[in-house]
C-alpha cells in the first residue's frame, strides 16, 4: 500500500485459495493487501526460511532453488494462485517458476511506473536489495517507464534485517533505519528525490520509520495493492473458498525459528508447518572408494 489516500474501497467477493510466498516475513505485507481486497479468499503463507535472505544469494543458486521450492509448496498446499511476494525472486526466476506450475503465478516487480507518474521533481529513489538492483529486469522497467526521470538506486540487506527485527517486536532504533536509507539521499541528486520505490516487500514493514527518518518529505510507493488486484484478476472463475486460510509453511523447522513463528501468528497465521525441500538427486553413481 502506498501512502496515498484511497477512497470508495470495495472489497472483492472473489473466492479461492491463495498461497503467498517469500524468503522471510516481507511477503506478509502483500498477504495483508490480498486479505483486505479479498476477505472471502483463503490466504496462506509460505517462507523459504531455510534459505533466507534471498538478497545476498547468487543468481545461480536462486535459479536452481526457486522452481523446486515453488513446485514443492504448491503440491503440498494446492492453491488456486501462487503469489511470489519477493522482488528478488520475481525479477530473477518468474518465468522458470511459471514453467513448473499449472496455476496462475503473480510476481512482484518494483513500482517504478506509478512512482514515475507521481514524481514532481523527476527524481526517483529505488530502495531494494542488491539482487534486485543488479537485475536486467529492473533496468528494463526503468527504461520503459522512467526513461525521462533520474533514478537513484540503493541496495540494502541491512534494511531487510532491520525490518525482520521490527516485525519480531524488537526495538529498532530510528537511527538505524536512517542510516540504512541514507545512501539513497546522499548520492548525487539525492536531495531532489520526492518519491521512493520500496522494491522489497520487507520494507513496508518499516514504512513509518522510513518516513520519519527521511531527510526531507518523501512519498514511499510499493507494489502491494497492485499485486492484490492482479491476484483477484487471475483467480480461476471456478475456484471455491476451501477454508478461511491462516496456515503457514516453512522450509525449516518452526521449532528452529520461534521468532518467525511468532511474527506469523501476529499477522494471522497461527499454524506453521514444515515442508522440507528434498535434496537434489544424484545424476551419476558415487565414486568407488
Amino acid at each position: 500500500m502506498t501512502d496515498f489516500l484511497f477512497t470508495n474501497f470495495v472489497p472483492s467477493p472473489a473466492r479461492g485459495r491463495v498461497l503467498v510466498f517469500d524468503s522471510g516475513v516481507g511477503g506478509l505485507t502483500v498477504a495483508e493487501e490480498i486479505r483486505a481486497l479479498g476477505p472471502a479468499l483463503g490466504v496462506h503463507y509460505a517462507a523459504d526460511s531455510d534459505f533466507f535472505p534471498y538478497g545476498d544469494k547468487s543468481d545461480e543458486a536462486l535459479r536452481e532453488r526457486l522452481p523446486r521450492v515453488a513446485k514443492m509448496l504448491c503440491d503440498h498446499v494446492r492453491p488456486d494462485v501462487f503469489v511470489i511476494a519477493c522482488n528478488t525472486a520475481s525479477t530473477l526466476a518468474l518465468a522458470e517458476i511459471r514453467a513448473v506450475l499449472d496455476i496462475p503465478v503473480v510476481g512482484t516487480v518494483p513500482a517504478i511506473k506509478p512512482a514515475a507518474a507521481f514524481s514532481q521533481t523527476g527524481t526517483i529513489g529505488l530502495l531494494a536489495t542488491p539482487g534486485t538492483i543488479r537485475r536486467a529486469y529492473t533496468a528494463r522497467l526503468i527504461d520503459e517507464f522512467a526513461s525521462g526521470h533520474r533514478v537513484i538506486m540503493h541496495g540494502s540487506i541491512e534494511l531487510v534485517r532491520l525490518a525482520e527485527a521490527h516485525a519480531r517486536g524488537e526495538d529498532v532504533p530510528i537511527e538505524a533505519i536512517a542510516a540504512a536509507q541514507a545512501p539513497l539521499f546522499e548520492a548525487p541528486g539525492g536531495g531532489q528525490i520526492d518519491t521512493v520505490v520500496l522494491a522489497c516487500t520487507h520494507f513496508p514493514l518499516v514504512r513509518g520509520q522510513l518516513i520519519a527518518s527521511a531527510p526531507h518529505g518523501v512519498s514511499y510507493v510499493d507494489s502491494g495493492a497492485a499485486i492484490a488486484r492482479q491476484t483477484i484478476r487471475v483467480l480461476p472463475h471456478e475456484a471455491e473458498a476451501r477454508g478461511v486460510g491462516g496456515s503457514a509453511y516453512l522450509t525449516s523447522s518452526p521449532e528452529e525459528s520461534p521468532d518467525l513463528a511468532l511474527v506469523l501468528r501476529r499477522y494471522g497465521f497461527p499454524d506453521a508447518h514444515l515442508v522440507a525441500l528434498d535434496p537434489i538427486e544424484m545424476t551419476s553413481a558415487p565414486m568407488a572408494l
Side-chain angles (χ1 to χ4, degrees):
M1 184 180 296
T2 68
D3 55 353
F4 307 121
L5 178 63
F6 290 96
T7 58
N8 300 322
F9 172 75
V10 178
S12 168
R15 296 180 179 273
R17 191 181 188 95
V18 176
L19 180 60
V20 180
F21 169 76
D22 189 18
S23 61
V25 302
L28 291 170
T29 61
V30 174
E32 283 195 318
E33 296 277 8
I34 295 172
R35 279 175 161 172
L37 184 59
L41 293 173
V43 180
H44 301 264
Y45 192 81
D48 191 4
S49 50
D50 195 43
F51 212 56
F52 172 83
Y54 281 173
D56 62 359
K57 301 298 189 297
S58 71
D59 291 0
E60 293 74 18
L62 288 170
R63 283 198 185 97
E64 185 280 322
R65 184 178 180 88
L66 282 164
R68 296 171 59 224
V69 170
K71 183 69 164 60
M72 173 196 68
L73 290 168
C74 288
D75 286 347
H76 187 85
V77 182
R78 298 294 180 183
D80 298 301
V81 178
F82 184 65
V83 178
I84 309 171
C86 174
N87 284 272
T88 297
S90 297
T91 56
L92 179 65
L94 181 59
E96 290 83 352
I97 292 172
R98 283 177 169 156
V100 301
L101 299 180
D102 58 0
I103 59 173
V105 178
V106 177
T108 300
V109 297
I112 293 170
K113 182 178 181 179
F118 184 74
S119 176
Q120 298 297 307
T121 65
T123 301
I124 300 168
L126 181 66
L127 194 57
T129 63
T132 298
I133 291 293
R134 68 173 181 263
R135 298 280 181 263
Y137 192 104
T138 304
R140 289 196 296 272
L141 285 175
I142 294 172
D143 287 343
E144 183 174 359
F145 298 115
S147 59
H149 293 66
R150 175 166 49 181
V151 180
I152 299 172
M153 298 184 285
H154 174 55
S156 176
I157 291 296
E158 177 62 17
L159 190 54
V160 175
R161 301 189 189 281
L162 291 171
E164 288 261 340
H166 173 73
R168 291 193 298 268
E170 297 179 19
D171 184 14
V172 176
I174 192 70
E175 293 81 9
I177 301 291
Q181 69 169 332
L184 197 64
F185 300 101
E186 294 171 353
Q192 296 299 310
I193 293 174
D194 67 347
T195 307
V196 173
V197 178
L198 297 180
C200 173
T201 53
H202 280 78
F203 297 167
L205 291 167
V206 290
R207 178 190 303 276
Q209 293 90 328
L210 288 167
I211 293 172
S213 63
H216 57 264
V218 179
S219 294
Y220 290 85
V221 182
D222 66 77
S223 302
I227 296 168
R229 291 193 296 271
Q230 181 65 5
T231 300
I232 299 294
R233 197 173 294 125
V234 303
L235 195 71
H237 294 300
E238 66 275 12
E240 298 179 357
R242 289 170 281 157
V244 296
S247 293
Y249 303 89
L250 310 178
T251 57
S252 62
S253 172
E255 288 74 23
E256 296 175 2
S257 307
D259 291 341
L260 176 56
L262 173 62
V263 176
L264 290 169
R265 287 195 295 271
R266 287 176 173 170
Y267 278 79
F269 296 93
D271 302 316
H273 310 277
L274 169 64
V275 183
L277 183 65
D278 293 331
I280 301 175
E281 294 182 5
M282 298 187 66
T283 56
S284 60
M287 293 178 62
L289 298 177

